[in-house]
Amino acid sequence: MTLSLPSTGNPFLIQISLCFGLMFLRRLAAIVPRSTSTRFFCSKDSLDLARTIAELSKEMESIFGEPPPDGLANSGNRSFMAQEPQHNSHVNLSSTSDKFTAQELHSISHNLDENAPGLTHVGSTGKAQMVDVSPKENSSRTAIATCKVLLGKKVFDLVLANQIAKGDVLSVAKIAGINGAKHTSTLIPLCHNITLAHVRVDLSLNPADFSVDIEGEAASTGKTGVEMEAMTAVSIAGLTVYDMCKAASKDIQITDIQLECKTGGKSGYWCREE
């Protein structure tokens, strides 16, 4: 890039020319990178523009004894140079991420044992699917799950005295938990709609940590387990406790939703280790 100065030795004309030149370059550096720099400028072009701005800045300083006003050259240089590396770094990070993901997937696939249990709700193409249980044999199945709701002393005392404005917290939560178990296949999209033989939900106040301990049990005879029904029962019961008590405190916590044990099916008996 070249800049033609007036042939006359008039310092005023030279100053005007240089100022207009710097203003043009600054505007070019500020606008072009945001819109079309990736299409019209390569890295060499950006370096040439930055070098030209720096040379003009030095020339103005040598003529007038001071750098360009308002840091025109520096701001234009920074504006242009700061944006193009960001674009390049984005591209590099994206490609690195893709490579890392591919390597991770390959490593996981390589390390999996052929006999290791897979994700039955994921098909061969990686898409979600509902498991076909028709080849399975019917068996008696049970599952027990637990949950804890941390109330805090203030709310705990209100529940203990049955002074919550909405009514009997534990009784309402018990019914809600049983109802939740019966609607598991509606709430969890890939769960089978099974016939439950029995649902039990028990709630008890625990003064040791001012909480409500919830235990849920589901039973059925069929081709798929009832673990989700038991866990849904305690989850809905816990949410109901929160709903009943939220006017007294927003600091209530629902924690430790987990399966404790299950029976039946191909995997047979399983129990959580203490």
Side-chain angles (χ1 to χ4, degrees):
M1 180 180 292
T2 61
L3 179 66
S4 298
L5 297 177
S7 57
T8 64
N10 191 327
F12 178 74
L13 293 179
I14 295 175
Q15 182 181 16
I16 294 297
S17 299
L18 288 173
C19 285
F20 273 107
L22 282 173
M23 289 172 64
F24 169 77
L25 290 175
R26 185 188 180 221
R27 179 59 61 89
L28 182 66
I31 297 177
V32 172
R34 287 196 296 265
S35 57
T36 59
S37 65
T38 56
R39 287 180 290 176
F40 294 103
F41 290 95
C42 63
S43 58
K44 183 177 182 300
D45 296 328
S46 64
L47 291 175
D48 291 341
L49 180 58
R51 189 180 297 110
T52 302
I53 294 175
E55 290 174 357
L56 287 172
S57 176
K58 289 181 180 179
E59 189 168 353
M60 286 192 67
E61 186 172 359
S62 66
I63 294 174
F64 304 107
E66 58 184 11
D70 299 329
L72 289 176
N74 290 335
S75 62
N77 188 11
R78 287 194 302 268
S79 174
F80 188 87
M81 295 301 290
Q83 293 182 44
E84 186 166 350
Q86 289 176 0
H87 174 77
N88 292 336
S89 64
H90 174 72
V91 174
N92 292 336
L93 286 174
S94 177
S95 59
T96 302
S97 177
D98 292 342
K99 292 179 181 178
F100 178 78
T101 303
Q103 292 173 357
E104 282 290 302
L105 291 175
H106 176 74
S107 176
I108 293 172
S109 176
H110 178 73
N111 292 330
L112 278 177
D113 184 77
E114 292 182 357
N115 296 324
L119 299 176
T120 56
H121 287 295
V122 179
S124 58
T125 61
K127 296 182 179 180
Q129 66 176 9
M130 190 170 186
V131 179
D132 182 5
V133 297
S134 57
K136 295 184 178 182
E137 296 183 357
N138 289 331
S139 66
S140 178
R141 300 169 182 268
T142 63
I144 296 176
T146 57
C147 171
K148 180 182 286 288
V149 183
L150 300 174
L151 300 176
K153 188 177 188 310
K154 172 187 172 183
V155 180
F156 181 87
D157 291 341
L158 290 173
V159 175
L160 181 62
N162 196 18
Q163 294 299 310
I164 294 294
K166 284 191 174 184
D168 188 346
V169 174
L170 303 187
S171 296
V172 174
K174 178 184 181 74
I175 299 301
I178 294 173
N179 195 45
K182 295 190 293 183
H183 287 83
T184 299
S185 62
T186 302
L187 299 170
I188 313 297
L190 298 181
C191 279
H192 293 83
N193 185 8
I194 63 176
T195 302
L196 290 171
H198 172 66
V199 177
R200 171 182 62 85
V201 177
D202 292 330
L203 298 92
S204 59
L205 292 170
N206 186 346
D209 54 4
F210 305 113
S211 68
V212 177
D213 292 334
I214 307 174
E215 182 177 276
E217 180 181 10
S220 176
T221 299
K223 297 183 177 185
T224 187
V226 289
E227 295 95 315
M228 292 306 302
E229 282 70 19
M231 294 181 69
T232 300
V234 298
S235 300
I236 297 299
L239 287 169
T240 303
V241 170
Y242 185 96
D243 177 66
M244 297 286 288
C245 302
K246 67 179 184 292
S249 173
K250 302 296 189 295
D251 197 36
I252 300 169
Q253 300 178 51
I254 303 172
T255 68
D256 300 331
I257 300 173
Q258 60 188 26
L259 180 69
E260 297 295 340
C261 64
K262 55 85 62 179
T263 63
K266 183 179 179 180
S267 60
Y269 175 80
W270 177 90
C271 186
R272 182 174 299 278
E273 297 180 359
E274 295 295 336

